[in-house]
Every structure is written in C-alpha cells, then in structure tokens.
Amino acid sequence: MRVPAFLSHRRDTSLARRLLLLQALVVAVVVLTATAVAYLDARQAVQQAAEQETTAIVESLGDSPLVLEAVTGPDPTAVLQPYVEQVRADTGTSFITVLAPDRTRFTHPDRAQIGRSFRGTIAPALAGETFTETYTGTLGPSVRATSPVVDADGDVVALVSAGITVAAIGQDLTSAVPGIAGTALVTLAVGALGSWALSRRLQRQTHGLSPAQLARMVEYHHAVLHAVREGLLLVDGERRVQLVNDEARRLLGLEGDPAGRHVTELGLPRELTALLTGQRTAVDEVHVTGTRVLVVNQAPPRAGDASAGTVVTLRDHTDLQALTGELDSVRAFAESLRAQAHEAANRLHTTVSLVELGRTQDAVDFATAELASAQRLTDRVVGAVGEPVLAALVLGKAATAHERGVLLEIDPATAVGETGLPGGDLVTIVGNLLDNAIDAALAGDPPREVQLAAEVTGGRLEIRVEDTGPGVPDDALGHVFERGWSTKDAGGAPAGLGRGLGLALVAQAVRRHGGTVTVRPGSGAQFVVSLPLPARVPAEAAS
C-alpha cells in the first residue's frame, strides 16, 4: 500500500513507536510498583513470622512447670540460664529473658545484664496477657513478645520475654531480595519483548503512520465514503458485511448499519445473495431488486485472494433501464413505420400498375381495402386506449408482430383512459409482456396470435396478455420473474447482459406501484397485471 502524498511526511512519531514507548513506561511502572509491593509484603511477612515465633516461645516457657518451679525457687538464674540459652540457640531468637514482676532479670544472653532492670513494656503481661511490640533494648531495636508466668493461684509470679533484633530480621529480608529482583527483571524483560513484538506488528499494519496521519486518513476515508455516488460494500471472507456506504444502503434498501451481519440476513434477492455469498468475480452484472435495477461489480481486494473477502460496487441503472425500454419501444415503432412505409410503397406501386393496366376499379378496391384494414386497427387502439404512450406502444407492437407473422389482437372490451401511472412503467410492463408473448407465439404452431386486454375495474388497471405459444411449465412458475430466467436461447450472450431481464423488470415495476402479476401455466401463457390507480385519478375518469 502506498501512502498518499499528503501523508508522506514522517516528522511525527509513528503510532507504533508511541505505543512502544507508552508500553515500556507502563511496564516499567508496573514492575517497579509490583517490586516495591513485593518487598513490603516480604518485610511484613518476615516481621509477622518473628512475632509469631517469639509469641510461641514465650507462651511455651510461660506454661512450662520447670520455669514456674525455678522462679519460685531460691536461685532462678542457676536453673533457668542454661535451659533458656539452649532454647534460644535452638530457636534462633536474639534473646530470651525471664524476669521478676519488678523487672529484675533472671536470664539474659549477656550475663552482665542478669540482675539488672528489664527494658520494655510489661504492664499487659502483669495483667495476664501475652503481647508483642518493637522496642529498643540492650541489643538494639527488636521485635519481642512478653508473656506472664502464672502460679496455681492465678498470680503472676514472673514474666518471659523473647525477641529477634531488627538487624536479624533485615538479614532474613535481604535473603528474599534476590528472588524479588530476579522476578522483577524477568517480568520487565518479558514485558519489553512483548511490547516490541506488538509494536512491530502495529508498525506493519499502520504502515508507520503517526496518530495525526491516521486521523486524517480516517477523515478522508469517511468523506469519500459519504460523498461517492456509487454504492460500496465490503464483505469479509466469512461473508459478513464489514463496511457499507450511504449510497449502497439506499440502493439496497438497507435499514441502519448492516456491518457485522451475514449477507444472507440482508433480505436481498436470491441471485444477488448468491453472488455475494459465492464471492466470484463479477463485471457489470445486472441485478434486479425490489425497486431498482443495479449494475454490480465484485472482486477481491487483492488479486487471487478470495479469503480476504470482496469489494462490491453498485450503480443505479433503474432510470437508464426505463429509458432504454422506452427507447426500444420507440425504435420498434420506428422500425414498424419503416416496414409500413416499405409495404405502402409496394401497395402504391401495385395500385399504379393496376391503373396503368386500365383496371381502375381493381386499383381502387385494392387501395381502399388496405387503407381500411390499417385504419381499423388504428381506430380500435386509439378508441380503446386513451393513454398516448400506451396507444403508441400498442400500435408499434402490432406492426412489429404483423411483420414477424404474428397477429396482435386488441380485446373488444379494452377501455383505458388517462391512468395517471408513469408512462415509463406502463411501457416497461406492457412492452415486455408483448415482446415475450410475440416471441412465445413464434415458438408455437400456427395460427400464431397474441391478445391484449386492458380495462379499469374498481379503481385498478387490469392488463391481460395471452399468446398461443408453448406456455410456461408448472415447475417454472416460481422462477418466471427472476432475473436470468428465459425460455429463449441465450445466443451466446452472457448472463446479466439483458437475457431473462424483461419479466424481472415487469415484476419490479408492478411491485413499485403496489400491484400484482400472475401467470397461468400450461399451453398458451396468460399474464395478468393488476395495478391500483393513483388516488388523484378517479376510476370513472380513467375509464
């Protein structure tokens, strides 16, 4: 993908680089915060472990019969000092001191402190409670627990205090630091590597564009989508709509934003749905929806990569198709006039030749007979059909049918005045029905005839076209009005270029006016169209 010229300046830092820096900062902050929290948790855990350990020691010694007997004996130090020091060595505590209620020490790791006053809080222990505190004693700051020694009468006869110095706790905490630091470094490295990989991927996907450049691209993208007068539809490889512009929603009659919906959920005609689902390449295919004739192009965004989905463009050819139908009618009418002029010239030569041969009466009879026949058809059409466009169409089709060897008859009950319906739609409906009927009659056995009847009944215009052709098979009734259905030979023309389009256009025009169209199966097809007349045209005026 080439970046447009207005986005080619790289002075701004790319989005990928900005994201890398932001992620690196976030990862660093998170890792440092997590490391600090882990260190504080480890410190608290070590201190709690020290408190629990010292509490267990003093409670055990306070409940020991040996300690109770020693503190009430004549020489507590002689009995307790070796015992307590052994316990201290086994438990790894910094000191264990047994003292009298008046703070006099019976034991201490420093024998010089024996007999001196204990430093620390003892009031809760004298009240019979075991408690912990952090206090600075003879060995420095320590975490200590103090518990009472109670005799059989419930009196506090001594106290036991055990503690671990803060320095010793710091050593335990220091031993945990390498693990915390190692975990932090590994986390930081993994985060940095992940951020780099994500940045590289984003760099490829955004083509190194900065946020400002991406914002401008999105703005231009939306501006183009809303401004373009061609429908645009993007379908992914799973056949779900990813993007649709305003014109495509209008042409397809879609309500709201269909993004994310499967193409089978859009309510489109079967042929168009099959095209979008199959995701085959299509060039200028004609598809008929409920109210429009669309020219559809479809191709993958990258040549040969159908898995990436397809890009579908839609062009509205409804008005052009209507004009084409009218042009075809005018062309057929002009062709019939040419044929009539040619026949008139032949008849004139015949009449002149009869006069030159002296057979004047035969010349008069011949000329008047041909004139009367043509005049009768014209008078019948003009008298029965008050809609100018429809009358001209019927006259032209009658001449065309006559030239092709088919008799087009107007039902005597035909009576149509000004209908108020668009002339283009009448031309589309009647013209295509007559064309199909003439072609069908030619495919049948003689006599080859087509009958047209039209009248206004109950505020509705009823049009009936019958032919003497082979008719419509029963199993084809559900497909007669689908684009591409035809009983005629394709003649090498690819689908989508007009073959099988006439009846689909008839059905579309009928639906557009809220009417109905039915077909009788079997030999000799009969098509009946019923159209409601506009409210501004009274039924009696139309008749």
Side-chain angles (χ1 to χ4, degrees), residues 414-426:
T414 296
V416 179
E418 294 284 346
T419 64
L421 295 170
D425 288 340
L426 289 176

Side-chain angles (χ1 to χ4, degrees), residues 349-360 362-364 366-367:
H349 284 300
T350 302
T351 303
V352 171
S353 297
L354 288 172
V355 172
E356 290 176 349
L357 292 173
R359 305 181 66 172
T360 306
D362 291 339
V364 172
F366 176 78

Side-chain angles (χ1 to χ4, degrees), residues 376-463:
R376 279 197 304 272
L377 177 61
T378 302
D379 291 342
R380 183 184 303 174
V381 173
V382 173
V385 181
E387 188 75 48
V389 174
L390 188 57
L393 174 67
V394 173
L395 285 174
K397 294 300 181 184
T400 301
H402 177 69
E403 183 180 3
R404 298 179 65 185
V406 177
L407 175 62
L408 174 58
E409 292 186 344
I410 308 299
D411 191 284
T414 296
V416 179
E418 294 284 346
T419 64
L421 295 170
D425 288 340
L426 289 176
V427 168
T428 297
I429 295 171
V430 178
N432 281 292
L433 288 179
L434 289 177
D435 284 340
N436 282 350
I438 293 171
D439 290 338
L442 287 172
D445 297 327
R448 297 180 175 90
E449 298 178 357
V450 173
Q451 186 179 72
L452 169 66
E455 59 181 333
V456 173
T457 305
R460 300 180 72 88
L461 173 61
E462 305 287 340
I463 302 172

